[in-house]
Amino acid sequence: MEKDERPNFTRDFLMSPQPLLRLLARTVKVLLVAVGVLVVLGGVVYLELESIVEALDSHFSDRIDAYLSIDKDAVARLHDPAYFAAQSAIVSEDERTVACISSAEHRILINDPADIPPFFTSAILASEDKNFFEHEGIDKGAVVRALAKRLLQESRSGASTLEMQIAKHLRGGTGRQSTEIEKTGDMVMALRLAREFPRQQLLLKYVNMPYFGRGQYGIEAASRAYFGRAAKDLGLHQAAFIVALINRPALPDRSFAMDPLLRSRDEIRDANWAESARGTMRVLELMFDHALITDAEYARAAKRVAQLRKEIIPAGTSCGMHDYFLERVRVLYKDRFPITKGGLTISITRDDGLQDVLAKAVELTLRTYLARHPNDRDNDQLRAGAFAVDFTGDVLAEVGNVNFNQRKYDVIATGWRQPGSTFKVFTYGSLVERLTNDVLASKPERETIEQIAASVLERCTVLDEPVYVSLGRGRGAKKIENFHSRSEPEYRGDISCRVALGESRNAAAVRAGAHAGIKNVIDLTYRLGMPRDAKHLLQPYPTTAIGASEVNPLSMASTAAFVNGGFRVTPRFANDICRDGRSLLYKDAEDRPLPCDTRGESHPMQERVVHPAASAAMIELLKGPLDMGTGTAAALRSGTVPGMDPLGDEIWKLKPDDRKMRTLAFPFEKAGEIAGKTGTATNADGKTSDVWLILWIPGAPERPEKGVVLGFWMGKDSKVHPLGDRGSTGGSGFAESGARNWVHSAAIVLAFLQKERGLLRPGNKFQPIIRDDVLMAFEAKKRSLQSARKAVPEPKVGVIIDRSPPKDSGASQMGPFVPG
């Protein structure tokens, strides 16, 4: 066989190393150049990343936003001071927080970077962004480390800066895993945030942002929810615990554990607490590693981590709405101001001590009634409430119904009930007003308020005889009955208004309403402040004079105008509503917000709605029910035993010493003036449906405006379900009445006012709360008359002295009173 002599290039190439080495060298050279270029480019990008992204962002922002699904208006929204929903605090007059109103994001804002507690700043930086004050929105070193670990398939490492976490919050991504596109968008947004806000402002935004569990957002709300204290008052270990919750919110309260093998509640709770402790220690260790705390601080805090479980308060004990008064505040202002998210301060008028004792009085009346009627099948419908309003209109206390947690309906503030005989206050008030105008227009002129009032009282008489009112065409007439004791006659004939009101005589009141004009009675009731509700209008019928129409219970406080000198009393639950120390309710002459008025000193002066002489006359009428001593209400003067039915048998079984010790009494010589009126409304069967007691207590001589009107009411959800069995057609026991149900419990409220608030003291009497122009004119005239009398010498025999005033004198020439 012949040998093949043809050339073989592959064989020759492989047998010669030079070509192979040259190819390898060229390949390595290309790779090195490529790597070098990449390194240089990477270095340039690393060093100038912010500038590169900023340049791209400035030229292609719309395209970047569209591709990365960035909300271009998000950063602008963050400039809005109201961006973070902040709770509104309800504070007392001494600026003590008693409750709060919040949106779903319950947040208490920190408004100044200087107010961020240093421990929290250190803990957040160590745990979340140690280079916060060095980078410009992106921590490039952290990004590189995170990418390297991902390439090496090691555990994932976070690279989010505080700005990136804020960006995630702005796009609504908190609480879920982000995609790569979303993370890239967060980086772009972080750079924008770093350009828009100073470092300290970004830190301030961040501390108010995270969710920590228990419905709380921001470090301030979280501190109060977990430890019951402000963030500035927490210890280092407690601050570290709060910061550890940023990545594991609500961990201590979770109903599940990371270990699926744990089943029992105790095992899950212990495991979560152990994890919380490890998270707290991690934050402390990072703070120590970054030299943000000393060795001693670290050692003390680490030692106290084990105590955290005992220091944390139970969930649900933070502030919130928990009674009728506070809920009424929320309802009144929720549509006028952003109270759920505006970070407002609402200063309320409530007297907490009086609120507590008023609630006890309501509970006492309920218990006493239920003990008297244990087998009443409608007892589950029993309702009761009370209010206390001072003579300027401040609501000092309000119990709107029975059991706020079960029944949110506030009968006192929003309900409508028949007032029974308490409405006679308006009836006689209208009659007195008419007589006052008659006296002012008559001759000879009365010079002083006292003279006018005396003339009015002299003229104020009514006929107490049987009276019938029509029930409508073809329905006949109804006889108006007088409810009277066995010692009193059924009808008295001609009697003074003081006796008629003191004995609450219905027939006389119907005639008083007719004499005044029932439409005038209704007009006066609305003028004083009763709401004109389309579904509950006062009806122009004769029986309205004795309480047949419905009224709003709280608006019965308007009757205080009859005893405070004639000034409107409109119930007011808040002194002021403020933001950042400035009022949202009151402005100065230049339309600038006034400083926040937590004590109610900026209220506009009350409007006069009743002539001062009519007020003086009404005071005498309204003192009658307690001072005449003929009704059960008079027991407030003579003595009553709280919690015991004044008409029951048990009270007589008490030993004399025991009864004396338990009796509360407020005689005139020890308690000064008191005015009052009871009321009992009935249904079609003549059985009691509503029972009332209204009391007026004068303020101290130096503070007449601090007088108080107290209102008490009890009834059932429907008038068809009566209180007790006794009615006009008979029945067992005594009929239920306002005095029987409320006098004994109202006594504990009077005792509180006497002992704790300086009311009901000897010499206290009703007097005008404002010296307005009308009153000052009368007082000036009175002083002038007194001076004139002193200057007149004793007349000689046969000399006639004319003591009549000049015909152009001011106050005495006043015509009929027309409220402004």
Side-chain angles (χ1 to χ4, degrees):
M1 174 181 277
E2 295 182 0
K3 186 175 180 181
D4 186 3
E5 298 293 337
R6 289 180 297 175
N8 189 325
F9 295 103
T10 302
R11 179 189 60 199
D12 294 343
F13 178 79
L14 293 174
M15 291 179 65
S16 175
Q18 288 81 8
L20 180 61
L21 290 174
R22 285 195 296 271
L23 178 61
L24 180 61
R26 285 196 296 271
T27 303
V28 170
K29 184 178 180 179
V30 171
L31 288 174
L32 289 175
V33 170
V35 170
V37 171
L38 289 174
V39 169
V40 172
L41 289 175
V44 171
V45 170
Y46 182 83
L47 293 174
E48 301 297 331
L49 177 62
E50 293 88 348
S51 300
I52 294 171
V53 174
E54 182 177 355
L56 292 172
D57 195 21
S58 63
H59 290 86
F60 308 105
S61 61
D62 290 341
R63 295 183 182 180
I64 292 172
D65 289 346
Y67 181 75
L68 299 177
S69 299
I70 295 175
D71 181 357
K72 63 180 180 180
D73 298 323
V75 175
R77 289 200 301 272
L78 198 60
H79 277 286
D80 184 357
Y83 172 76
F84 287 120
Q87 75 164 25
S88 293
I90 298 179
V91 302
S92 58
E93 290 190 351
D94 58 3
E95 300 187 30
R96 177 176 53 85
T97 299
V98 297
C100 64
I101 307 174
S102 175
S103 66
E105 289 190 9
H106 184 257
R107 182 181 281 108
I108 303 174
L109 284 180
I110 297 176
N111 294 306
D112 192 317
D115 294 333
I116 304 173
F119 278 156
F120 273 98
T121 299
S122 299
I124 288 171
L125 295 183
S127 175
E128 302 300 318
D129 191 354
K130 65 180 180 180
N131 298 317
F132 174 71
F133 287 103
E134 300 171 8
H135 61 66
E136 297 180 32
I138 300 175
D139 189 343
K140 293 173 288 191
V143 172
V144 171
R145 287 193 301 271
L147 288 173
K149 288 187 175 183
R150 178 169 297 185
L151 290 173
L152 297 173
Q153 296 185 345
E154 295 182 5
S155 60
R156 301 183 66 174
S157 175
S160 291
T161 60
L162 297 191
E163 291 94 333
M164 291 175 67
Q165 293 184 49
I166 295 173
K168 184 176 182 178
H169 175 86
L170 288 171
R171 67 172 167 82
T174 303
R176 61 178 177 82
Q177 192 71 30
S178 300
T179 65
E180 299 302 327
I181 291 292
E182 288 175 332
K183 289 181 180 179
T184 304
D186 290 345
M187 295 175 70
V188 174
M189 284 286 291
L191 294 172
R192 293 178 183 177
L193 289 168
R195 294 195 301 268
E196 286 277 338
F197 296 94
R199 297 278 94 185
Q200 290 292 346
Q201 283 297 320
L202 283 171
L203 181 60
L204 181 64
K205 302 289 184 185
Y206 185 82
V207 300
N208 287 317
M209 183 191 73
Y211 176 62
F212 291 92
R214 297 190 174 184
Q216 311 300 312
Y217 290 76
I219 64 171
E220 188 63 46
S223 299
R224 296 171 190 255
Y226 284 99
F227 295 103
R229 291 187 289 168
K232 65 182 179 62
D233 297 326
L234 298 192
L236 172 57
H237 67 298
Q238 295 169 327
F241 169 85
I242 295 294
V243 171
L245 293 178
I246 291 176
N247 297 311
R248 306 288 293 277
L251 178 59
D253 302 324
R254 290 182 182 177
S255 59
F256 62 92
M258 297 303 294
D259 185 349
L261 298 178
L262 300 179
R263 298 295 185 184
S264 73
R265 180 180 301 177
D266 290 339
E267 288 177 333
I268 292 172
R269 188 182 295 116
D270 292 343
N272 286 336
W273 272 107
E275 186 64 27
S276 298
R278 285 192 292 271
T280 303
M281 286 302 303
R282 170 187 165 276
V283 173
L284 291 173
E285 289 165 2
L286 288 170
M287 295 174 74
F288 178 72
D289 291 343
H290 297 309
L292 296 173
I293 56 175
T294 65
D295 293 358
E297 288 174 327
Y298 172 78
R300 285 196 301 269
K303 186 176 181 180
R304 298 189 65 180
V305 169
Q307 304 174 18
L308 276 171
R309 192 167 183 177
K310 296 180 180 179
E311 295 174 351
I312 292 176
I313 63 177
T317 56
S318 57
C319 69
M321 315 307 291
H322 51 263
D323 63 30
Y324 293 101
F325 188 108
L326 299 176
E327 175 62 11
R328 187 61 184 161
V329 172
R330 186 192 71 81
V331 170
L332 284 173
Y333 299 109
K334 65 181 178 65
D335 295 327
R336 292 181 59 190
F337 303 104
I339 60 174
T340 61
K341 60 180 181 179
L344 309 182
T345 298
I346 304 173
S347 172
I348 59 174
T349 58
R350 187 170 75 179
D351 179 330
D352 287 340
L354 183 54
Q355 177 72 33
D356 290 342
V357 75
L358 199 69
K360 292 177 182 176
V362 172
E363 180 62 28
L364 192 60
T365 282
L366 289 169
R367 288 205 312 265
T368 306
Y369 176 86
L370 291 173
R372 194 158 63 240
H373 301 282
N375 300 318
D376 189 338
R377 64 181 182 277
D378 299 324
N379 278 343
D380 61 328
Q381 296 192 27
L382 189 63
R383 308 288 180 259
F387 64 80
V389 178
D390 76 11
F391 286 177
T392 71
D394 285 350
V395 181
L396 305 178
E398 192 244 3
V399 181
N401 204 335
V402 178
N403 196 330
F404 177 76
N405 292 328
Q406 295 181 9
R407 301 178 183 90
K408 296 298 188 287
Y409 178 57
D410 189 334
V411 181
I412 297 299
T414 63
W416 294 84
R417 305 292 302 203
Q418 282 193 347
S421 291
T422 58
F423 192 83
K424 294 174 185 175
V425 177
F426 296 107
T427 300
Y428 283 95
S430 184
L431 177 57
V432 164
E433 185 170 81
R434 176 173 179 173
L435 294 174
T436 300
N437 287 334
D438 290 345
V439 171
L440 289 171
S442 66
K443 301 292 184 180
E445 297 166 355
R446 279 70 172 178
E447 306 295 346
T448 67
I449 291 174
E450 292 80 6
Q451 291 175 350
I452 298 171
S455 294
V456 169
L457 292 172
E458 182 179 358
R459 296 182 182 204
C460 195
T461 61
V462 286
L463 178 63
D464 182 35
E465 290 291 349
V467 61
Y468 295 83
V469 297
S470 173
L471 296 176
R473 181 176 298 177
R475 299 176 58 191
K478 177 181 179 180
K479 180 182 179 181
I480 301 300
E481 302 281 352
N482 277 339
F483 294 94
H484 59 95
S485 67
R486 295 174 182 174
S487 61
E488 297 172 345
E490 183 175 2
Y491 297 100
R492 285 189 177 275
D494 282 313
I495 55 175
S496 69
C497 291
R498 188 169 188 269
V499 171
L501 186 60
E503 295 184 358
S504 198
R505 295 191 160 261
N506 288 337
V510 169
R511 286 193 171 88
H515 188 188
I518 195 63
K519 290 185 178 180
N520 293 329
V521 174
I522 292 172
D523 289 344
L524 173 66
T525 306
Y526 286 137
R527 189 207 314 156
L528 264 58
M530 186 64 62
R532 194 184 294 268
D533 186 276
K535 295 181 179 179
H536 304 279
L537 292 175
L538 296 171
Q539 300 300 315
Y541 304 144
T543 52
T544 290
I546 56 175
S549 294
E550 293 182 328
V551 298
N552 168 246
L554 181 59
S555 297
M556 291 297 285
S558 65
T559 56
F562 289 125
V563 297
N564 73 0
F567 299 95
R568 184 191 301 277
V569 175
T570 302
R572 175 179 53 241
F573 285 79
N575 287 319
D576 205 350
I577 300 178
C578 311
R579 179 189 284 127
D580 299 331
R582 310 301 294 183
S583 174
L584 299 180
L585 294 179
Y586 304 110
K587 296 183 179 181
D588 62 17
E590 298 180 3
D591 204 37
R592 295 174 301 188
L594 291 172
C596 189
D597 178 22
T598 59
R599 297 186 177 275
E601 297 170 351
S602 298
H603 296 158
M605 190 174 76
Q606 292 162 259
E607 175 191 6
R608 175 173 289 285
V609 288
V610 175
H611 192 281
S615 173
M618 282 299 295
I619 289 170
E620 295 305 312
L621 296 190
L622 294 174
K623 291 190 297 183
L626 271 69
D627 291 345
M628 292 178 63
T630 58
T632 309
L636 285 172
R637 288 294 200 190
S638 59
T640 184
V641 179
M644 299 200 74
D645 180 1
L647 300 180
D649 296 331
E650 294 301 317
I651 196 170
W652 302 107
K653 297 178 182 179
L654 292 175
K655 294 181 180 180
D657 290 343
D658 188 21
R659 181 175 181 179
K660 182 178 180 180
M661 182 179 64
R662 295 171 60 179
T663 294
L664 293 176
F666 305 91
F668 175 79
E669 59 273 13
K670 293 183 179 181
E673 293 184 341
I674 309 174
K677 187 71 191 81
T678 60
T680 304
T682 58
N683 59 23
D685 297 330
K687 294 183 178 180
T688 301
S689 63
D690 300 79
V691 291
W692 298 72
L693 173 64
I694 307 292
L695 295 171
W696 298 271
I697 314 298
E702 67 278 7
R703 298 296 301 275
E705 74 280 3
K706 293 300 180 181
V708 177
V709 52
L710 299 170
F712 304 88
W713 166 86
M714 183 171 70
K716 293 185 178 178
D717 274 346
S718 171
K719 284 177 62 69
V720 300
H721 301 290
L723 296 169
D725 299 320
R726 182 83 177 182
S728 58
T729 58
S732 60
F734 292 98
E736 296 298 331
S737 66
R740 181 184 190 184
N741 285 280
W742 283 115
V743 163
H744 67 93
S745 57
I748 69 171
V749 181
L750 299 191
F752 173 85
L753 293 175
Q754 186 177 62
K755 181 179 179 180
E756 304 294 338
R757 297 297 181 263
L759 302 182
L760 295 153
R761 300 293 174 85
N764 282 11
K765 60 186 297 185
F766 294 101
Q767 54 184 318
I769 63 172
I770 299 173
R771 323 303 287 189
D772 66 344
D773 291 343
V774 175
L775 193 62
M776 295 295 285
F778 274 107
E779 291 181 348
K781 183 62 179 178
K782 184 176 181 180
R783 288 193 298 270
S784 177
L785 289 172
Q786 290 173 342
S787 298
R789 290 191 182 101
K790 290 180 181 179
V792 175
E794 288 296 323
K796 297 179 180 179
V797 177
V799 177
I800 299 175
I801 304 290
D802 184 1
R803 295 176 181 266
S804 61
K807 292 188 178 181
D808 61 347
S809 60
S812 63
Q813 300 297 320
M814 290 180 60
F817 175 66
V818 180

